Amino acid sequence: MRWEEEIRLKGKVALLTGAAAAIKGEMMGFGGAAVHLFVREGAKVVLTDIRDDLGERAAALRADGHDARYLHLDVTSEQNWAQVVDAVMAEHGRLDVLFNNAGVSFPGRVEDITVEIWDRELGVHARGVFLGTRKAIPAMRKGGGGSIINTSLEMGIVGSPTSPAYSAAKGVITTFTKSAALQYAKENIRINSVHPGYADTPLTARRFNDPGVRQQLLDRTPMGRLGTAEDIANGVLFLASDESSWVTGSELVIDGGMTAQ
Ligand SMILES: NC(=O)c1ccc[n+]([C@@H]2O[C@H](COP(=O)([O-])OP(=O)(O)OC[C@H]3O[C@@H](n4cnc5c(N)ncnc54)[C@H](O)[C@@H]3O)[C@@H](O)[C@H]2O)c1
């Protein structure tokens, strides 16, 4: 058994978006894997998504004695954000961690990207992260600080050969994160981005399971394997915990070496 002070998120309240794929024994996403690490480390967790059936099933981890609850949150909706953050504050009186993780990904050459796809990418990623960050800040201020972690992409730093709209939307997250970090650093609200490489999750399963595509991705990844949801969630846990208390405005790249090339 570990000593109490070794529990990394003890007493913290965490809100996670795009986190419904969090069921043990099924493929998890980054949000889902983070839910499990967060509760293991003593956090009270509010997981959210637009996939309500899956989210409700995931919140059944309460049965293992964890403090976890599911709420519907479409990250593009200002009204939804207000409802969810207000509900967290009413229940817990504080918000320490926000993991802005919801995402959608549409590959395609520039000429083939419709305005609808462009707006959807920018809506979920850019607008979603902005709305969440804006709503979380006053709540975190009440508790004397907090940590916001935004899921970008390795191609939110460099260009993408396959997915320009996705890459552009993730690029907005990269620079927005730094600007917001500067504005709230003095208030101990830390804001960082994570930049995953190719990882097996529900979002990528269909495309990455194509043997030809998989081999291409493996060839591009110096460490010779794709990432797991837990590879990413471990970095998120570090940023959520006080171990990263002097880290803000940074890009945590977790990609098996891909962006180092
Ligand atoms: N898997 C990868 O290789 C990879 C690499 C880099 C970045 N990412 C990013 O990681 C994040 C998590 O994705 P994942 O791969 O773990 O897959 P995932 O399918 O577990 O997570 C994405 C979730 O976002 C939810 N979502 C979509 N639109 C939403 C909306 N409007 N409001 C709220 N939720 C919404 C989906 O329902 C889904 O549950 C995404 O932002 C994705 O872009 C994934």
Side-chain angles (χ1 to χ4, degrees), residues 29-35 37-38 99 228-239 254:
F30 305 158
V35 164
L37 293 184
F38 281 17
F99 183 24
T228 65
E230 199 157 298
D231 286 327
I232 312 309
N234 276 316
V236 174
L237 172 60
F238 166 70
L239 291 171
I254 309 175

Side-chain angles (χ1 to χ4, degrees), residues 12-256:
K12 292 195 192 291
V13 175
L15 172 61
L16 302 90
T17 73
I23 297 168
K24 265 195 185 146
E26 295 181 17
M27 177 177 257
M28 288 195 204
F30 305 158
V35 164
H36 285 271
L37 293 184
F38 281 17
V39 295
R40 185 193 79 191
E41 297 299 333
K44 296 173 181 163
V45 163
V46 179
L47 59 130
T48 70
D49 206 297
I50 49 176
R51 294 193 290 172
D52 296 337
D53 288 355
L54 193 61
E56 293 289 1
R57 278 173 61 218
L61 59 86
R62 263 192 311 268
D64 298 332
H66 299 302
D67 192 327
R69 175 174 181 204
Y70 173 78
L71 292 176
H72 177 90
L73 171 57
D74 178 342
V75 296
T76 64
S77 162
E78 188 175 6
Q79 194 192 359
N80 252 202
W81 270 110
Q83 289 162 342
V84 167
V85 174
D86 291 351
V88 171
M89 292 305 279
E91 185 175 350
H92 297 291
R94 58 186 302 123
L95 175 63
D96 302 286
V97 177
L98 170 62
F99 183 24
N100 276 318
N101 170 69
V104 289
S105 160
F106 299 101
R109 298 180 68 216
V110 172
E111 293 161 282
D112 302 324
I113 295 169
T114 62
V115 168
E116 288 71 28
I117 286 179
W118 180 264
D119 288 348
R120 180 111 186 268
E121 288 283 10
L122 270 290
V124 173
H125 299 115
R127 177 186 165 105
V129 167
F130 157 65
L131 288 176
T133 303
R134 192 181 66 173
K135 184 66 191 170
I137 284 167
M140 289 182 170
R141 181 180 287 129
K142 285 191 181 141
S147 172
I148 300 175
I149 303 125
N150 298 327
T151 305
S152 179
L153 171 72
E154 91 271 63
M155 284 146 187
I157 302 174
V158 297
S160 164
T162 59
S163 311
Y166 183 43
S167 166
K170 291 297 201 181
V172 172
I173 293 178
T174 307
T175 48
F176 173 73
T177 296
K178 292 183 198 309
S179 303
L182 293 175
Q183 291 190 339
Y184 296 96
K186 290 273 192 310
E187 295 191 75
N188 196 33
I189 298 172
R190 301 182 296 101
I191 309 172
N192 293 285
S193 50
V194 287
H195 300 264
Y198 303 117
D200 287 313
T201 67
L203 185 74
T204 57
R206 219 173 44 160
R207 200 154 74 88
F208 290 7
N209 282 341
D210 175 297
V213 171
R214 195 169 189 85
Q215 194 53 53
Q216 272 180 0
L217 304 180
L218 287 169
D219 291 345
R220 283 192 217 150
T221 306
M223 291 193 78
R225 70 165 175 89
L226 301 195
T228 65
E230 199 157 298
D231 286 327
I232 312 309
N234 276 316
V236 174
L237 172 60
F238 166 70
L239 291 171
S241 77
D242 293 340
E243 292 157 23
S244 58
S245 62
W246 206 45
V247 182
T248 197
S250 77
E251 299 168 5
L252 178 54
V253 175
I254 309 175
D255 70 349

